[in-house]
Amino acid sequence: MAPKEEVWNPSVETVTPVITLSFYFYPTSTTGVVIQREGFAFSYSEEFEQSEWVAYSLSSLDFSNRNFNRPFFIEDPKVKSRSADWRNYKKSGYDKGHLCPAGDRKSSYKAFEETFYTSNISPQLHEFNDGVWNRLEQKVRYWAKKYDGLYVVTGGVLSDNLKSIGEENVAVPNYFYKILMTKDGKKMIGFLVPHEDSEKALYEFVMDVNTIEKMTGIDFFPKLPDAVENKMEKSNDYKEWSF
């Protein structure tokens, strides 16, 4: 049975568990393979052996000071076509880069553990993963606390002729994106970050969401009213966000 349609009202909090993204805010999928876990949802691309997007809600309750033991990366049993084996990354020169960071899912061990399924990773250069991408992830946590919660969508830009690694040809994106919307539905911001080491300020990677949609073929918040969606997705003004 399909879930009951929700009525958009930016002044009312969406009725969902803290760590779950409401179906209402799922992006579209170019693959038709959308899977919901406890802590996030994702759209898996067998062609590229990774998710085209991972989506989740984030609040200050999700990044507690709990120190969980890191589990091993394993294939995702919910992906019927089988997600990529972690051995594709072995001696590849690339990190197993989390899309939904483990540090964003500390409300429970189960939510934390789920981030180590290979459906939630993408090949990332260590200097990128530990550098500019990590800086952006930390800033997202800052905003989640400051603005009383965010919806987050993130992934690599998957396209033809990408480099690949391993026997399963896991694609290596040239760009990674992150799109944020405050839970009150009043602010949205997009980031498009080249897959390389960078010391640039984070605001230099701000990109209007419309451009990221054209690059990926994904509509990130399709159920927003058109007037609201069009206004927020055309903007690349970062001045409303505290950098």
Side-chain angles (χ1 to χ4, degrees):
M1 180 180 294
K4 185 178 179 181
E5 187 77 3
E6 297 179 32
V7 178
W8 167 255
N9 185 342
S11 65
V12 178
E13 175 67 15
T14 308
V15 183
T16 61
V18 170
I19 63 172
T20 303
L21 183 81
S22 167
F23 81 94
Y24 188 92
F25 293 101
Y26 284 2
T28 58
S29 169
T30 69
T31 68
V33 182
V34 176
I35 296 171
Q36 172 70 59
R37 289 204 157 277
E38 179 178 309
F40 57 87
F42 63 93
S43 172
Y44 196 76
S45 173
E46 179 65 23
E47 178 183 359
F48 297 100
E49 289 289 1
Q50 64 198 274
S51 294
E52 62 175 350
W53 55 256
V54 171
Y56 58 100
S57 63
L58 185 66
S59 74
S60 58
L61 297 177
D62 294 314
F63 41 94
S64 68
N65 291 324
R66 296 176 180 177
N67 291 316
F68 294 130
N69 292 327
R70 289 173 65 92
F72 293 111
F73 287 95
I74 60 173
E75 293 177 47
D76 193 331
K78 285 197 172 187
V79 178
K80 292 182 180 179
S81 61
R82 299 182 63 180
S83 60
D85 192 296
W86 68 269
R87 294 174 183 84
N88 288 284
Y89 290 77
K90 193 173 182 180
K91 297 182 180 179
S92 69
Y94 290 90
D95 286 359
K96 305 175 192 73
H98 282 81
L99 296 176
C100 175
D104 283 1
R105 300 289 83 172
K106 287 190 172 182
S107 59
S108 72
Y109 181 72
K110 181 179 179 183
F112 178 82
E113 184 180 39
E114 286 179 342
T115 68
F116 289 85
Y117 286 121
T118 56
S119 55
N120 184 50
I121 64 174
S122 180
Q124 292 184 344
L125 293 168
H126 179 72
E127 294 78 8
F128 172 86
N129 185 24
D130 197 47
V132 61
W133 196 243
N134 181 53
R135 285 195 286 128
L136 180 54
E137 289 173 343
Q138 292 184 44
K139 182 60 73 172
V140 170
R141 292 180 193 123
Y142 166 76
W143 284 325
K145 186 174 183 179
K146 180 178 178 65
Y147 299 124
D148 197 25
L150 298 172
Y151 293 115
V152 183
V153 186
T154 190
V157 177
L158 304 179
S159 60
D160 295 336
N161 302 316
L162 293 175
K163 178 180 178 180
S164 64
I165 61 171
E167 293 184 1
E168 293 179 274
N169 296 316
V170 181
V172 181
N174 292 326
Y175 295 88
F176 286 86
Y177 66 85
K178 200 175 291 288
I179 296 167
L180 316 173
M181 184 174 71
T182 54
K183 283 191 176 181
D184 61 12
K186 294 181 179 179
K187 293 199 296 185
M188 183 184 295
I189 191 169
F191 293 87
L192 183 67
V193 188
H195 187 189
E196 61 189 21
D197 187 19
S198 179
E199 297 297 327
K200 290 182 179 180
L202 292 175
Y203 62 77
E204 295 193 46
F205 301 107
V206 172
M207 179 65 66
D208 64 274
V209 175
N210 274 346
T211 295
I212 302 174
E213 288 184 334
K214 290 176 183 177
M215 294 178 70
T216 60
I218 299 165
D219 186 353
F220 290 104
F221 291 101
K223 290 186 179 290
L224 287 177
D226 289 342
V228 175
E229 183 181 14
N230 291 337
K231 180 180 179 181
M232 290 199 292
E233 291 187 353
K234 287 180 180 178
S235 175
N236 61 359
D237 185 1
Y238 57 83
K239 293 179 181 177
E240 291 186 354
W241 295 76
S242 176
F243 278 85

